[in-house]
Amino acid sequence: MATAMDWLPWSLLLFSLMYETSTFYVPGVAPINFHQNDPVEIKAVKLTSSRTQLPYEYYSLPFCQPSKITYKAENLGEVLRGDRIVNTPFQVLMNSEKKCEVLCSQSNKPVTLTVEQSRLVAERITEDYYVHLIADNLPVATRLELYSNRDSDDKKKEKDVQFEHGYRLGFTDVNKIYLHNHLSFILYYHREDMEEDQEHTYRVVRFEVIPQSIRLEDLKADEKSSCTLPEGTNSSPQEIDPTKENQLYFTYSVHWEESDIKWASRWDTYLTMSDVQIHWFSIINSVVVVFFLSGILSMIIIRTLRKDIANYNKEDDIEDTMEESGWKLVHGDVFRPPQYPMILSSLLGSGIQLFCMILIVIFVAMLGMLSPSSRGALMTTACFLFMFMGVFGGFSAGRLYRTLKGHRWKKGAFCTATLYPGVVFGICFVLNCFIWGKHSSGAVPFPTMVALLCMWFGISLPLVYLGYYFGFRKQPYDNPVRTNQIPRQIPEQRWYMNRFVGILMAGILPFGAMFIELFFIFSAIWENQFYYLFGFLFLVFIILVVSCSQISIVMVYFQLCAEDYRWWWRNFLVSGGSAFYVLVYAIFYFVNKLDIVEFIPSLLYFGYTALMVLSFWLLTGTIGFYAAYMFVRKIYAAVKID
């Protein structure tokens, strides 16, 4: 075990690495060079709302459609996220302005929404739905100006600008519902340096929109699908009455601006939508507190252990050896196999599988290879990695199962391959049925579900069996002391040795290490924000491993000193104690941050939260268990047992 000073150089190295990687970006696609008047395709992704947590396809609402609707072939991550990328009728040409253009207008006639369509549009507006479009793989953003520090100086005014993902479908005012039926696109391009005899090429570096609501009477359209926008603020917004038919125009305008931002840095605007100074301060604060506490714990337990071992190894004082107390007394029972060794080894195998998957995903993402530009790549990579890490999970579970005197290795391998994934698949299937009932694009299609089952039984299950076979055949872990035939009686335990009290005590430090990061992760999942600070996350993950390990060692040491040798299951449960705090925080986040009131969105939130808490419990429990197991083997190997 290392003190805080031993970890200081590594933490400084990671901080410097984070500073480099937080803005580093490996693009998901090659840059597209446009010439003057080349078409720039505008595609729609989905409609989202943090109030309902149910994404919908773009054409689930009566928007104008092109002559032929073409859906993009999506990867696994995009399908699971509910993305359904489709073409739109917007005609945008590179560096070509459009003042006002009417969509889906035939012979200068407005679009008529039926009563049913009007009711659906009104419902989506009241549910705070956002529309997400992309141009050259860049998501559309709405510019927001903060007026709290507004200054007349343009340089200071720029600091008050933030961006919101997508644009609002509409708004409500005095119990009336209004639709944003005019979109003012503002696209920024970067002019590439070319030789004198070559034609200039351009690259899209930002995509903004200003949504407006303009009523039918104020929009003047002609036979050529052109229109004239009303001047000033004289126009009224386009109201949607859900009780009757509504007539309106869908219109758009295009404005181009040259930008100094290069293509490689074009995502910086989207990824710096909030102030990261608070993030930095909180992370540094967590690092300092965790390393300080870890250092204290290390020094206390090392000093105590040295004293214990020195006393136990005194051969000249016979009376002291006759009056043994503390953890040496239970040396004949400490490695006694626990109840349900197959289930314990299976859960720990799944924990190892999760640990390997999360470590690789965070590290690769920190290098910029899974940035938001690679749409769906993070989730796709995580799914495939979990399948392939089954060989490591199976190996560790098989070896531990044999160490615990297990002999039914085939049943153990099947349990490892199906217990945790089966729970995850079962919960997701039930939730998916509810999403299907809402006709949401977030529902996983049946072919994708069959593909996931094939991956589970065709990749993960055989790999788990392979790893389990070799792990079971390998020599079991060498325990330094023999186990007595008759179990020792356990004395009555104090109140603070209660299992639930131990969970509360052990969970505080690891949860404190990741508390701030948890807020950003929840915002990314439930409020449709981009998460990109994987450098921070990598450091937090390392701190989580260190803190879980040390807390687990301290808790098992106290337990053995109290002459309670049933540490296997207890240590696994107690080490995952921070998952309890994650659950409490999830409930707090639901009550205070989200505006969810309906049953199905609430069910989705708590269903997926339950999966997150279960996975986090497996992860931290596994980390703590193996740290405690190595510690117990070390201390009993260091004393002389008669």
Side-chain angles (χ1 to χ4, degrees):
M1 289 172 292
T3 62
M5 292 303 295
D6 297 329
W7 284 98
L8 189 58
W10 292 103
S11 61
L12 292 174
L13 175 64
L14 280 166
F15 267 120
S16 62
L17 186 62
M18 272 200 311
Y19 181 78
E20 295 295 329
T21 57
S22 61
T23 56
F24 181 61
Y25 161 67
V26 177
V29 291
I32 298 177
N33 293 322
F34 295 93
H35 295 287
Q36 180 74 31
N37 292 329
D38 277 358
V40 178
E41 195 170 8
I42 307 292
K43 294 183 178 181
V45 182
K46 58 183 173 182
L47 311 169
T48 63
S49 169
S50 59
R51 286 187 62 185
T52 68
Q53 299 298 331
L54 292 167
Y56 286 96
E57 290 188 38
Y58 181 71
Y59 290 123
S60 64
L61 292 182
F63 291 120
C64 295
Q65 299 182 2
S67 55
K68 182 182 180 183
I69 296 178
T70 307
Y71 284 91
K72 171 186 169 290
E74 288 147 344
N75 57 41
L76 178 62
E78 288 176 317
V79 174
L80 296 178
R81 280 163 39 99
D83 293 356
R84 300 293 184 268
I85 301 176
V86 65
N87 60 328
T88 61
F90 296 108
Q91 301 292 325
V92 178
L93 303 178
M94 171 55 71
N95 205 14
S96 177
E97 303 273 325
K98 280 191 178 180
K99 290 187 176 180
C100 185
E101 191 90 9
V102 179
L103 286 171
C104 56
S105 173
Q106 296 179 351
S107 303
N108 199 20
K109 290 182 180 179
V111 177
T112 302
L113 302 183
T114 63
V115 177
E116 185 179 345
Q117 291 174 331
S118 300
R119 191 184 303 118
L120 182 61
V121 170
E123 182 183 338
R124 295 286 182 265
I125 293 173
T126 54
E127 289 173 340
D128 289 339
Y129 266 86
Y130 282 74
V131 183
H132 297 274
L133 307 174
I134 53 173
D136 189 25
N137 202 39
L138 272 183
V140 73
T142 306
R143 180 187 291 258
L144 300 176
E145 291 188 1
L146 303 180
Y147 294 94
S148 55
N149 298 321
R150 194 171 176 85
D151 199 301
S152 57
D153 188 3
D154 287 340
K155 293 182 180 178
K156 290 185 178 179
K157 190 184 296 183
E158 185 68 26
K159 293 180 182 178
D160 297 332
V161 173
Q162 286 191 4
F163 291 92
E164 193 174 52
H165 299 298
Y167 69 88
R168 286 180 181 271
L169 179 62
F171 61 96
T172 57
D173 186 22
V174 197
N175 296 325
K176 290 188 176 182
I177 301 168
Y178 302 99
L179 173 70
H180 285 139
N181 60 323
H182 177 80
L183 302 179
S184 298
F185 293 130
I186 305 172
L187 292 103
Y188 294 77
Y189 64 87
H190 179 75
R191 192 193 301 264
E192 295 299 305
D193 295 329
M194 305 293 289
E195 296 180 7
E196 292 183 3
D197 57 338
Q198 290 183 323
E199 186 182 355
H200 279 292
T201 58
Y202 308 91
R203 291 177 180 175
V204 179
V205 294
R206 193 190 295 178
F207 183 26
E208 292 180 20
V209 66
I210 301 174
Q212 293 173 267
S213 182
I214 305 173
R215 67 176 180 178
L216 176 67
E217 292 77 13
D218 294 331
L219 277 169
K220 299 175 182 177
D222 58 22
E223 296 292 335
K224 297 180 181 179
S225 295
S226 297
C227 54
T228 305
L229 295 174
E231 296 181 1
T233 58
N234 298 327
S235 66
S236 300
Q238 174 64 52
E239 183 183 352
I240 300 294
D241 189 341
T243 62
K244 64 178 185 180
E245 291 186 348
N246 291 270
Q247 289 193 325
L248 70 155
Y249 282 121
F250 285 106
T251 58
Y252 71 103
S253 59
V254 181
H255 175 63
W256 289 90
E257 288 190 20
E258 188 168 3
S259 173
D260 295 329
I261 299 172
K262 293 190 176 180
W263 186 87
S265 305
R266 66 179 188 161
W267 275 85
D268 291 356
T269 303
Y270 299 87
L271 301 182
T272 54
M273 292 190 177
S274 58
D275 189 8
V276 294
Q277 289 182 356
I278 299 172
H279 197 128
W280 268 110
F281 176 77
S282 303
I283 291 292
I284 293 171
N285 184 54
S286 297
V287 170
V288 171
V289 170
V290 168
F291 278 133
F292 179 70
L293 291 176
S294 299
I296 292 176
L297 290 173
S298 301
M299 287 189 291
I300 290 173
I301 203 163
I302 287 172
R303 285 188 176 186
T304 309
L305 268 176
R306 282 177 178 170
K307 186 178 178 181
D308 287 349
I309 292 170
N311 288 336
Y312 289 152
N313 288 339
K314 281 182 181 177
E315 295 180 356
D316 52 348
D317 197 340
I318 299 172
E319 290 184 4
D320 283 353
T321 55
M322 293 295 290
E323 298 176 4
E324 289 179 355
S325 62
W327 53 270
K328 190 182 178 184
L329 269 179
V330 296
H331 67 83
D333 297 276
V334 71
F335 293 109
R336 185 178 302 282
Q339 286 185 310
Y340 314 114
M342 183 184 293
I343 297 176
L344 178 63
S345 59
S346 298
L347 292 174
L348 288 166
S350 296
I352 291 290
Q353 205 171 341
L354 273 172
F355 177 82
C356 295
M357 180 267 285
I358 292 172
L359 181 66
I360 296 173
V361 165
I362 294 176
F363 184 75
V364 172
M366 184 183 69
L367 300 179
M369 297 178 187
L370 299 176
S371 66
S373 69
S374 306
R375 201 176 301 277
L378 184 70
M379 197 172 290
T380 305
T381 305
C383 288
F384 276 97
L385 269 176
F386 183 79
M387 301 291 176
F388 286 108
M389 292 300 109
V391 67
F392 297 106
F395 181 85
S396 58
R399 192 175 184 192
L400 182 65
Y401 182 57
R402 185 176 181 187
T403 304
L404 298 179
K405 305 293 189 291
H407 53 86
R408 294 178 296 176
W409 75 268
K410 292 180 181 177
K411 189 176 179 181
F414 183 77
C415 187
T416 305
T418 57
L419 186 59
Y420 170 69
V423 171
V424 172
F425 188 84
I427 293 177
C428 289
F429 181 78
V430 171
L431 295 178
N432 204 52
C433 291
F434 284 97
I435 304 173
W436 264 332
K438 285 286 189 177
H439 305 289
S440 167
S441 64
V444 179
F446 184 74
T448 306
M449 198 166 287
V450 172
L452 287 171
L453 279 172
C454 291
M455 287 170 59
W456 179 12
F457 289 105
I459 299 175
S460 182
L461 190 94
L463 287 176
V464 169
Y465 263 90
L466 181 68
Y468 209 99
Y469 173 74
F470 284 105
F472 192 78
R473 288 189 60 186
K474 193 172 176 62
Q475 190 73 17
Y477 294 112
D478 183 27
N479 296 327
V481 291
R482 286 178 296 184
T483 303
N484 295 335
Q485 289 185 350
I486 302 173
R488 180 186 178 87
Q489 189 172 358
I490 299 169
E492 188 177 349
Q493 299 295 305
R494 299 286 183 89
W495 66 269
Y496 52 80
M497 294 305 294
N498 181 275
R499 185 174 296 175
F500 187 70
V501 175
I503 287 173
L504 292 179
M505 292 170 58
I508 293 175
L509 188 61
F511 178 74
M514 58 166 293
F515 169 70
I516 299 301
E517 214 61 32
L518 198 63
F519 170 77
F520 286 91
I521 292 170
F522 269 62
S523 299
I525 295 173
W526 302 113
E527 298 187 53
N528 297 305
Q529 301 293 321
F530 285 127
Y531 186 86
Y532 69 101
L533 296 170
F534 290 101
F536 287 116
L537 190 60
F538 185 72
L539 177 60
V540 167
F541 184 71
I542 289 176
I543 297 170
L544 183 69
V545 172
V546 172
S547 57
C548 275
S549 302
Q550 296 197 332
I551 284 292
S552 171
I553 289 169
V554 170
M555 296 302 288
V556 79
Y557 177 72
F558 286 152
Q559 184 181 349
L560 295 177
C561 286
E563 300 178 21
D564 184 358
Y565 54 82
R566 299 170 303 183
W567 65 274
W568 302 88
W569 272 106
R570 178 188 167 94
N571 185 259
F572 180 55
L573 294 171
V574 167
S575 298
S578 48
F580 172 76
Y581 289 97
V582 173
L583 176 62
V584 173
Y585 178 77
I587 296 171
F588 169 82
Y589 190 89
F590 178 83
V591 173
N592 288 278
K593 297 288 184 181
L594 298 177
D595 189 22
I596 296 177
V597 290
E598 295 182 13
F599 169 71
I600 290 182
S602 302
L603 181 69
L604 293 178
Y605 179 85
F606 285 106
Y608 289 128
T609 298
L611 287 181
M612 289 173 59
V613 170
L614 173 65
S615 303
F616 191 72
W617 170 63
L618 274 181
L619 175 69
T620 51
T622 302
I623 293 168
F625 176 86
Y626 277 101
Y629 189 32
M630 287 189 288
F631 169 76
V632 171
R633 289 171 60 200
K634 280 281 186 186
I635 63 172
Y636 282 98
V639 296
K640 297 176 181 177
I641 306 295
D642 295 332

